[in-house]
Amino acid sequence: MADGTAQNDVLVKVEGLSKIFKTADGRTINALTNVNTFVDRGEVVAIIGPSGSGKSTLLRTMNGLETISEGHIHIDGIDLADKKTDMNALRADVGMVFQHFNLFQHKTSLENITLPQTLVRKRTKAEADQIAMDLLRQLGLDHLANNYPSQLSGGQQQRIAIARALAMQPKLMLFDEATSALDPEMVGEVLDLIKGLATDGMTMCLVTHEMNFAREVCDRVIFMDAGELVETGKPAEFFAKPSTDRAHQFLDKVL
Amino acid sequence: MLELTLQTMPFLLEGFLNTILISLAAISLGSFVGLVLGLGRTVGPKPVQNIIGLYVHLVRATPFLVQIYIVYYVLPTTKLSIFDFSNFMAAVIALTIYTSSYTAEIVRGSLEAVPKGQWEAAAAVGMKMRQRLLNVILPQAWKLTLPPLAGVYVLVIKGTSILTVIGVVELMRQGEDAIHRHPAHIMWILFLVASLYFIYCFPILRGIKYMEKKIAAKGARSVAGDAQW
Ligand SMILES: Nc1ncnc2c1ncn2[C@@H]1O[C@H](COP(=O)(O)OP(=O)(O)OP(=O)(O)O)[C@@H](O)[C@H]1O
Ligand SMILES: [Mg+2]
């Protein structure tokens, strides 16, 4: 998938990206320092690295949940660092899946999936319902359409959350540790769903601690450490023979 | 006693009517202003947040008695015609300011009590700020405002008794007049006055309790209702 290297295949381009947080007590934290990378259309990229290395921050700048301190991110040609960019319109095209699902607590599964469609995509309720029910059926979750999030297991909630994002027909899906908050027996059902999306050609960036999954499903691995993009490569090569010491040390610890 | 009651009651009720009018006006105006201020304080631009913060702290850190004096006696000395109000108007304005400051903090507190993940999820699907607030945040936040709001409303109603200092004909004022006329019956007259305040405030406190229960029950029912699978 990532092999068609023609220029116009690039969906996400990250150039000289830095992110500086200012804490309440006036300190500054360099969460990202001069990160350069890209994601091709149809590519599945795993972002890995130790805690606090800036993985989430990188992902969150890609849909404007964090502002850009320096540098640029282009998604499908749209410059996220440009003040004039309509972030809400961009976010409609970029799906985000959170560690803690973040389903709208006062809405049923079905309503969680229809609400963004009607509000943001301006679909009629009938259209939105149709799309939502089709998705729920595909995922084998249609029997849970009228349940509230509090009545669902973690794995079910996360799959509904993914369906909510998919209903917007995004160009890009971002996953921030989508399985980290799940009981072990529910991790599989969510990973299987993501695997299916990869097979369907969805462009995805996944922050993950599931190294086997990254190796198996992803086209490329990005290794972050201390806010820097240290190394990137094909999973087979990266996991077998990382070219930097930092990646080596990290893999020694987690594998 | 019955004779005294029958004799003073119309007089007290006349004041009670004003107590109701003034407090209802202040509660509705103050709640609306407080809602706007609370929203501005939470999601507005930084300078707006700071200005509202200053207002809220100023109002909450000064005694209501001082505020009513400022509104009724100090503002008119500026000779600006907009500050030229009757004591009734001054009472409504001062109480509205008071109500709005407390409501603003309650609104802010409940908005912030909605988990950050809900805000982020709403943003992440592309909702505009107004849509996030109306469709995701406020439907979860408003329930949290009820118990503290009821407390403030009761404070405001009881607070109208201070308005006697600017000569507003309200319940306390009428009670004091009645006591002057029948000093021997001070206990009974105060009992009547207190009863009227109680009759007004108690249903508010009960009403909120009832709504809280209903909301809780609704949550429970939707759990039970879906237990069929
Ligand atoms: N809102 C924030 N304010 C201040 N500092 C922040 C904020 N968000 C992240 N940081 C800091 O930025 C750095 C990178 O954080 P980030 O969450 O991106 O790491 P991560 O790689 O996702 O870690 P983890 O694996 O623990 O999730 C950390 O030092 C973190 O403390
Ligand atoms: Mg993280």
Side-chain angles (χ1 to χ4, degrees):
Chain A
M1 278 175 233
D3 287 345
T5 41
Q7 266 296 299
N8 58 8
D9 259 342
V10 175
L11 180 65
V12 184
K13 200 163 69 177
V14 180
E15 294 167 297
L17 176 68
S18 294
K19 174 68 188 181
I20 299 166
F21 285 109
K22 293 206 173 33
T23 61
D25 54 4
R27 286 179 307 124
T28 57
I29 295 171
N30 296 304
L32 295 174
T33 308
N34 190 24
V35 173
N36 295 283
T37 190
F38 63 92
V39 182
D40 281 336
R41 230 177 272 276
E43 196 180 22
V44 180
V45 175
I47 303 172
I48 64 172
S51 181
S53 58
K55 307 180 297 292
S56 296
T57 306
L58 175 58
L59 208 67
R60 289 161 59 85
T61 51
M62 287 189 195
N63 75 344
L65 281 184
E66 303 292 354
T67 56
I68 292 172
S69 303
E70 233 175 277
H72 290 274
I73 298 179
H74 285 87
I75 295 182
D76 214 5
I78 298 164
D79 185 357
L80 272 62
D82 187 342
K83 291 260 183 300
K84 291 195 287 281
T85 297
D86 179 354
M87 273 301 162
N88 296 321
L90 176 107
R91 290 194 189 109
D93 289 335
V94 178
M96 178 97 180
V97 177
F98 301 89
Q99 183 175 352
H100 294 107
F101 334 128
N102 298 347
L103 288 177
F104 305 133
Q105 294 300 312
H106 61 304
K107 298 280 181 194
T108 63
S109 304
L110 182 66
E111 290 165 346
N112 263 277
I113 305 173
T114 54
L115 184 67
Q117 297 186 62
T118 50
L119 285 179
V120 181
R121 287 275 185 252
K122 307 291 177 207
R123 291 178 187 144
T124 64
K125 185 171 177 309
E127 286 171 328
D129 276 344
Q130 177 78 47
I131 292 172
M133 282 314 292
D134 283 351
L135 268 167
L136 284 171
R137 246 174 257 124
Q138 269 174 40
L139 303 182
L141 295 169
D142 45 327
H143 61 298
L144 302 176
N146 296 318
N147 285 43
Y148 286 87
S150 58
Q151 303 165 314
L152 301 174
S153 74
Q156 291 167 338
Q157 288 189 59
Q158 192 60 299
R159 287 186 290 155
I160 300 288
I162 294 173
R164 174 175 68 182
L166 290 176
M168 302 294 283
Q169 282 141 347
K171 296 174 187 161
L172 170 69
M173 287 280 289
L174 307 172
F175 295 80
D176 193 354
E177 302 197 27
T179 58
S180 295
L182 298 177
D183 292 336
E185 72 269 23
M186 293 171 187
V187 170
E189 64 195 49
V190 173
L191 290 184
D192 285 345
L193 168 50
I194 300 174
K195 210 179 290 182
L197 295 177
T199 312
D200 295 344
M202 177 65 78
T203 313
M204 296 190 278
C205 292
L206 308 111
V207 172
T208 182
H209 293 300
E210 303 281 341
M211 295 303 153
N212 288 328
F213 181 80
R215 191 182 342 226
E216 205 185 311
V217 177
C218 297
D219 301 306
R220 194 154 51 85
V221 177
I222 288 176
F223 173 68
M224 308 272 308
D225 189 19
E228 290 169 48
L229 192 161
V230 177
E231 185 173 340
T232 174
K234 295 225 172 296
E237 293 153 26
F238 175 82
F239 285 109
K241 205 164 63 67
S243 55
T244 59
D245 283 349
R246 285 151 96 179
H248 204 98
Q249 281 164 15
F250 174 74
L251 289 178
D252 272 354
K253 249 180 266 167
V254 298
L255 289 183
Chain B
M1 218 56 108
L2 182 65
E3 197 183 328
L4 174 73
T5 306
L6 288 176
Q7 195 186 338
T8 49
M9 208 30 127
F11 186 67
L12 292 181
L13 286 176
E14 192 189 322
F16 188 42
L17 180 66
N18 275 346
T19 293
I20 292 176
L21 288 178
I22 292 170
S23 56
L24 283 184
I27 285 171
S28 38
L29 289 171
S31 299
F32 177 74
V33 175
L35 173 64
V36 173
L37 293 180
L39 286 169
R41 181 118 198 258
T42 317
V43 298
K46 259 272 130 57
V48 172
Q49 290 190 17
N50 292 339
I51 292 169
I52 296 172
L54 185 69
Y55 166 87
V56 165
H57 286 308
L58 272 180
V59 175
R60 300 209 322 166
T62 51
F64 178 65
L65 189 56
V66 175
Q67 294 164 15
I68 185 76
Y69 276 139
I70 290 175
V71 171
Y72 189 55
Y73 293 119
V74 181
L75 291 184
T77 62
T78 58
K79 298 272 188 287
L80 294 172
S81 58
I82 50 160
F83 293 138
D84 188 18
F85 13 71
S86 65
N87 56 359
F88 194 91
M89 268 293 280
V92 170
I93 290 168
L95 271 176
T96 296
I97 292 171
Y98 179 86
T99 311
S100 72
S101 72
Y102 281 90
T103 305
E105 281 301 83
I106 290 169
V107 168
R108 179 175 78 125
S110 356
L111 289 175
E112 286 176 353
V114 176
K116 193 158 154 268
Q118 298 289 306
W119 293 85
E120 291 195 339
V125 293
M127 291 187 200
K128 297 183 175 69
M129 181 53 87
R130 200 179 54 86
Q131 296 173 322
R132 292 173 219 165
L133 280 170
L134 286 179
N135 297 283
V136 177
I137 306 304
L138 287 174
Q140 298 184 64
W142 73 269
K143 296 163 197 172
L144 306 173
T145 66
L146 293 183
L149 272 185
V152 169
Y153 293 166
V154 168
L155 272 185
V156 169
I157 292 167
K158 293 189 294 185
T160 56
S161 60
I162 293 178
L163 298 173
T164 181
V165 300
I166 57 168
V168 175
V169 179
E170 42 69 58
L171 178 53
M172 192 63 217
R173 170 77 166 207
Q174 298 296 82
E176 284 169 351
D177 282 0
I179 289 167
H180 280 140
R181 262 175 284 142
H182 312 279
H185 298 293
I186 177 164
M187 280 298 284
W188 182 246
I189 291 168
L190 281 178
F191 173 75
L192 292 178
V193 168
S195 303
L196 287 173
Y197 279 117
F198 180 81
I199 288 168
Y200 187 12
C201 293
F202 187 66
I204 296 179
L205 292 170
R206 282 317 294 251
I208 296 284
K209 267 265 148 48
Y210 174 76
M211 278 172 85
E212 269 176 57
K213 270 214 200 91
K214 228 174 117 171
I215 289 163
K218 202 172 152 203
R221 193 158 47 243
S222 61
V223 173
D226 283 302
Q228 54 230 13
W229 36 259

